[in-house]
């Protein structure tokens, strides 16, 4: 057991059977009354964000979340199989935990997985990945980078918006959080 004075960014608090990651905290000592800790927390499983206040010295239960590097191997039905890069053990992760990240994952992609008591809680992708455009409508004469956008399918099957001048076979950098086109990659 810890106290509210031990709260820092990144602390994972176990409350009512759920895990909450502390995104922000602030120790407040008002002129009148007792001190308290104001926090902004994110539910590790659902992603819901709440504001919560604790009295100074209040007992809280912290959880240990182990963040480890894994390599994506393959998809097995609805589940995804990863290899732990520290001991080469394989871990099967459900599609619910992987979420939308599967749209940007290629085989051998390195990711971080947060584990609590051996159970995968969440998956973190790199901020951006390089993917090849496998299909897009051909560009027309006069299409420029300042013009509009068109749909393109990348090698993982995800659809993104790209500038009109891009063609099939072009490698592009994609933001894994939003799915936005970040630029062309020349190799």
């Amino acid at each position: 057991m810890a106290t509210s004075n031990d709260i820092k960014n990144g602390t994972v608090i176990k409350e009512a059977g759920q895990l909450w990651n502390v995104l922000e905290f602030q120790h407040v000592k008002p002129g009148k009354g007792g001190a308290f800790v104001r926090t902004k927390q994110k539910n590790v499983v659902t992603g819901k964000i709440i504001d919560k206040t604790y009295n100074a010295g209040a007992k809280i239960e912290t959880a240990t979340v182990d963040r480890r590097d894994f390599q994506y191997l393959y998809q097995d039905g609805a589940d995804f199989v990863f290899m732990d890069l520290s001991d080469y053990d394989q871990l099967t992760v459900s599609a619910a935990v992987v979420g939308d990240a599967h749209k940007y994952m290629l085989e051998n992609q390195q990711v971080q997985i947060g584990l609590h008591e051996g159970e995968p809680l969440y998956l973190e992708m790199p901020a951006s990945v390089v993917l090849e455009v496998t299909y897009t409508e051909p560009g027309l004469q006069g299409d420029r980078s300042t013009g509009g956008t068109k749909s393109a399918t990348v090698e993982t099957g995800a659809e993104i918006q790209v500038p009109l001048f891009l063609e099939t076979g072009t490698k592009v950098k994609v933001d894994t959080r939003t799915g936005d086109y970040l630029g062309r990659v020349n190799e």
Side-chain angles (χ1 to χ4, degrees), residues 5 12 41 82 100 114 156:
N5 300 332
V12 177
Q41 302 174 0
F82 294 87
D100 286 342
T156 59

Side-chain angles (χ1 to χ4, degrees), residues 8 32 50 61 64-65 67 70 74 81 93 106-107 115 118 138 155 159 184:
K8 304 273 182 276
K32 253 165 85 173
I50 63 167
E61 187 177 353
T64 305
V65 174
R67 290 175 54 160
F70 283 81
Y74 58 92
V81 179
V93 180
L106 289 172
E107 289 183 2
L115 301 166
E155 57 190 309
E159 261 195 31
R184 244 185 326 193

